[in-house]
Amino acid sequence: MSLEQHAGLLIIAPLMGALLISLLGGLHRRVAYLLLVTSLASSFYSAMATLRQVALHAADGPLRYRLGDWAPPYGIELVIDPLNGLVLAMVSGVALLVAIFSKNTVRQEVAEYIHHYYTLFALLVAGLLGITATGDAFNLYVLMEISALASYALLARGRGFAYYATFKYVIMGTIGACLYLLGVGYLYIKTGTLNMAELVSFLTRTELINSESIRVAFILIMVGLWIKMAFFPLHGWLPNAYTRTTTTTSCLVAPLMTKVSVYVMIRVMFGVFSVAFVHTTLGWSKGVVWLASVAILAGSIGALAQTSMKRMLTYIIVAEVGYMVGGAWLGNAAGLTGATYHIVSDGLMTACLFMVVGAISYKTGSDDFESMRGIFRRMPITAVVFLVGAFAMIGIPPTCGFFSKWYLIKGGVIASQYPFVAALLISSLVNAVLFFRLIEIGYYDTFDSEGKPEGHGKIKVQEAPLSMLVPMVVMAAMLLVVGLYTGKIVTSLIQYTIPAGL
Amino acid sequence: MEDLLAYIISRYNYWAAIILLLIGLYGMIAKNNLLKKVIGMSIFQSAIILFYVSIGDKRGATIPILEHSHDAHHGAQQVVEAASYANPLPHVLMLTAIVVGVSTLGVALAILQKIYRVHGTIEEDEILETIDQ
């Protein structure tokens, strides 16, 4: 197997995995589980190999992989540069760890038809990786819908009014994808191509950039993507859909779907349109950064009002989307570096915290704040992982959350967008309040029937099973490792993703 | 006035797509019955499909199958005049979009059926009442 095939394999592996799981997974749930983990592990391996290759040749331009050896513009090509190489590694890594993590939670929550659940799991990952790798605007739409359809089916398997919450997401998600498709249609009418590299060269070389249709196309695509990523005024569907579903689904969907949409936004802004168009011709930058600041505050305030950990985390996601959108629209290299770096770090830390909540609710059957009581004695390892995740979310060095905030704040100061800087700092403080409250609850023991704290001897260690602990600990370690290697990631990868003119 | 009319008529395919889009959007936003929302969603998607299909068409053009290409006398020298054939690419793209649309419709209807089983109704206000309790 030559090294050149890794770019194709990283999408084919989960796709074939989905097929095999649906064919053979019915034999035994262990077969389905092993097939899922194997396919995602090979996908992760290919993603890392591709990333390594891209990093070695970062200065020479992106890696192009022609599917079926059809040359563009007739064929579809995968284009992997440092930006999506990083996102691919993050997506496949998080998906692999969540897949390992899911062994016990799926058995508890899904019970029957586990292989159907795992088929959808693999399809969702294949869709997300495809969105990230593709170099074709229409292909991106199709893969976006593949991952969206898989996520609808996964999210609907929940409790309470999960079906109703998912139905709302189906409607909103379809509107978002259709607006994107309509925008791509405008681009096609004007340029006659769907290949992103050709689109950007058409749009920068000619006078087209000033045309009204191109402007409308950009706005349609942006609004569509903002719906998909739950950017502030369009976020209404997210908290209910992500809270009501099963633990495994929220561990998988919550960190990945919104982050991949943010990646697509950055790709469209600078890989299809251009810096000059986004920041000069359109002139929306200030407004969008303001909106992002409001998104951050709205998400943080929403999070303060919750009493369930999962629901609190979903509101934090809304705030984090504000971070990334704001960073991308600041219009300087530091802001974009922060946004790109935050896609990776936020994906990791959201996955880490959702896994902790999943482990706690697996053991206690609830994800209320009260289920944290006595956590440090009952589940010491989970509690440590929780601490690392919480510190990353607050932004305490040396976790990766600190460095992404550092770049974002630096970008905000350079662009003199002080409201955005203030919103970032307030949101960090709110996160500190949220998580220290949980840590405080965690230090106190459970009470017995008379309202007295239970004695030390009575509380036994009830740690989550090994299949959950290992991915959680790896994820927590990744938060620290990515944080410590920030300099290397930025200089050898992210700095090549900054488009000229920023 | 006549200019305006001519302007509207000359782009009637866009107007049709816009009107259908708005009907679909209205259905999704304003209707209380969830099934009507799904119908609105389907109209919304169909509008975009029709928009794409209409842009592939050219006046006086025929289906994109090369004439005489199997004919030994002309085959090699034949110059393809793009203007006399409809653009097949938007149509091909829409084959995929139709598949996506049907799948979305299927998932939405399946979820709708589940909603009916859990809540006993598909009227949005009645569902919200059962959730509040």
Side-chain angles (χ1 to χ4, degrees):
Chain A
M1 192 190 307
S2 71
L3 197 62
E4 285 73 44
Q5 302 300 325
H6 282 306
L9 275 176
L10 71 93
I11 302 166
I12 304 287
L15 202 60
M16 287 298 120
L19 187 68
L20 286 177
I21 293 165
S22 70
L23 287 175
L24 305 174
L27 298 175
H28 194 268
R29 68 181 144 67
R30 225 170 262 277
V31 177
Y33 176 72
L34 281 177
L35 279 172
L36 180 74
V37 171
T38 319
S39 63
L40 292 180
S42 44
S43 169
F44 177 62
Y45 172 74
S46 296
M48 289 313 280
T50 314
L51 181 65
R52 187 166 162 275
Q53 206 179 355
V54 167
L56 289 178
H57 307 286
D60 311 338
L63 180 113
R64 292 176 185 277
Y65 180 87
R66 293 172 179 177
L67 286 174
D69 205 20
W70 286 90
Y74 308 108
I76 290 166
E77 57 173 359
L78 305 179
V79 181
I80 297 168
D81 62 1
L83 172 61
N84 55 7
L86 260 181
V87 180
L88 284 172
M90 188 275 283
V91 170
S92 55
V94 168
L96 174 63
L97 289 178
V98 173
I100 298 170
F101 178 85
S102 73
K103 189 181 174 192
N104 291 70
T105 51
V106 165
R107 207 188 307 169
Q108 188 188 46
E109 291 170 331
V110 181
E112 50 186 1
Y113 299 121
I114 285 180
H115 61 294
H116 290 175
Y117 184 88
Y118 277 150
T119 308
L120 291 167
F121 191 119
L123 272 180
L124 175 61
V125 177
L128 291 173
L129 291 172
I131 294 175
T132 316
T134 187
D136 183 280
F138 184 78
N139 195 230
L140 199 154
Y141 162 77
V142 176
L143 289 160
M144 199 153 86
E145 284 296 62
I146 289 176
S147 60
L149 284 167
S151 76
Y152 302 149
L154 286 175
L155 288 169
R157 283 174 173 252
R159 61 203 155 77
F161 58 99
Y163 295 120
Y164 177 65
T166 311
F167 183 81
K168 278 192 151 175
Y169 176 36
V170 173
I171 297 282
M172 287 304 279
T174 307
I175 296 178
C178 283
L179 289 178
Y180 174 84
L181 181 61
L182 195 58
V184 171
Y186 276 56
L187 286 181
Y188 178 73
I189 293 175
K190 278 296 182 188
T191 62
T193 180
L194 292 165
N195 183 291
M196 288 187 190
E198 287 198 357
L199 276 172
V200 71
S201 75
F202 264 118
L203 291 177
T204 44
R205 269 191 292 118
T206 58
E207 283 299 302
L208 267 182
I209 204 86
N210 296 318
S211 116
E212 294 270 319
S213 319
I214 295 299
R215 191 179 293 220
V216 173
F218 182 77
I219 294 169
L220 284 172
I221 292 177
M222 275 301 130
V223 174
L225 291 174
W226 285 343
I227 293 176
K228 281 271 176 193
M229 73 176 77
F231 187 47
F232 163 63
L234 310 166
H235 71 287
W237 55 268
L238 187 139
N240 278 332
Y242 283 12
T243 312
R244 296 284 152 187
T245 186
T246 62
T247 301
T248 326
T249 310
S250 48
C251 283
L252 178 71
V253 172
L256 298 182
M257 291 289 279
T258 50
K259 266 40 130 198
V260 169
S261 306
V262 173
Y263 155 76
V264 176
M265 182 190 74
I266 294 177
R267 172 64 78 206
V268 168
M269 280 166 73
F270 304 116
V272 174
F273 295 85
S274 56
V275 179
F277 174 79
V278 173
H279 292 302
T280 317
T281 318
L282 192 70
W284 272 18
S285 310
K286 272 218 149 60
V288 176
V289 175
W290 267 98
L291 205 56
S293 316
V294 178
I296 295 170
L297 293 178
S300 298
I301 292 167
L304 270 178
Q306 307 308 321
T307 54
S308 133
M309 286 190 279
K310 218 165 161 187
R311 209 171 161 77
M312 181 188 95
L313 289 176
T314 60
Y315 276 97
I316 291 179
I317 293 177
V318 174
E320 303 282 329
V321 168
Y323 285 28
M324 289 175 276
V325 175
W329 281 80
L330 277 174
N332 57 46
L336 188 58
T337 307
T340 311
Y341 185 76
H342 200 65
I343 292 177
V344 176
S345 67
D346 191 46
L348 294 176
M349 59 203 193
T350 315
C352 178
L353 286 170
F354 267 98
M355 280 184 184
V356 170
V357 173
I360 291 171
S361 62
Y362 175 73
K363 274 290 169 195
T364 62
S366 143
D367 64 337
D368 285 345
F369 285 1
E370 285 304 307
S371 62
M372 282 292 286
R373 207 165 275 290
I375 192 78
F376 285 86
R377 211 190 304 277
R378 277 188 293 118
M379 304 168 77
I381 303 176
T382 310
V384 171
V385 174
F386 172 74
L387 276 185
V388 177
F391 285 174
M393 207 51 116
I394 298 164
I396 296 174
T399 55
C400 55
F402 168 76
F403 295 99
S404 49
K405 267 184 196 146
W406 175 265
Y407 279 109
L408 288 170
I409 289 174
K410 191 175 152 200
V413 172
I414 294 172
S416 326
Q417 291 276 14
Y418 294 104
F420 182 64
V421 176
L424 279 174
L425 293 174
I426 292 171
S427 151
S428 302
L429 287 177
V430 170
N431 282 354
V433 171
L434 290 170
F435 286 110
F436 280 113
R437 188 166 56 171
L438 285 175
I439 292 168
E440 194 191 341
I441 294 173
Y443 267 117
Y444 289 103
D445 291 333
T446 42
F447 296 95
D448 60 14
S449 51
E450 293 164 13
K452 289 177 190 163
E454 286 180 2
H456 288 196
K458 283 184 187 170
I459 295 169
K460 292 194 189 96
V461 174
Q462 296 176 306
E463 195 48 272
L466 207 60
S467 67
M468 300 169 94
L469 279 181
V470 172
M472 285 196 311
V473 171
V474 172
M475 195 62 93
M478 280 309 291
L479 291 178
L480 294 170
V481 169
V482 171
L484 290 173
Y485 281 93
T486 306
K488 189 137 177 65
I489 293 173
V490 171
T491 51
S492 64
L493 291 166
I494 296 182
Q495 67 159 338
Y496 296 104
T497 71
I498 308 296
L502 267 189
Chain B
M1 187 63 205
E2 273 179 24
D3 287 350
L4 186 70
L5 213 60
Y7 176 79
I8 291 173
I9 289 170
S10 68
R11 290 169 176 77
Y12 64 92
N13 55 333
Y14 295 162
W15 291 104
I18 290 169
I19 290 166
L20 282 175
L21 268 180
L22 293 179
I23 292 172
L25 203 59
Y26 171 79
M28 280 188 280
I29 293 169
K31 291 296 174 189
N32 188 36
N33 187 310
L34 297 185
L35 190 59
K36 288 183 181 167
K37 278 184 194 275
V38 173
I39 294 171
M41 185 181 87
S42 203
I43 295 175
F44 194 76
Q45 286 178 320
S46 308
I48 293 172
I49 292 170
L50 289 175
F51 170 77
Y52 264 85
V53 169
S54 75
I55 63 176
D57 189 37
K58 292 168 189 163
R59 214 164 289 264
T62 178
I63 48 170
I65 298 172
L66 290 183
E67 286 178 81
H68 311 298
S69 60
H70 58 280
D71 201 334
H73 299 296
H74 306 279
Q77 291 88 13
Q78 187 94 26
V79 177
V80 179
E81 285 179 46
S84 56
Y85 299 104
N87 183 356
L89 186 70
H91 301 182
V92 176
L93 296 180
M94 284 311 106
L95 284 181
T96 318
I98 289 167
V99 174
V100 168
V102 170
S103 322
T104 316
L105 193 62
V107 173
L109 289 175
I111 291 172
L112 206 55
Q113 201 180 23
K114 285 284 191 185
I115 289 177
Y116 185 73
R117 283 192 195 152
V118 172
H119 300 282
T121 172
I122 53 167
E123 297 291 328
E124 191 162 26
D125 51 354
E126 291 170 22
I127 292 172
L128 289 173
E129 272 171 31
T130 62
I131 289 170
D132 287 339
Q133 282 161 9

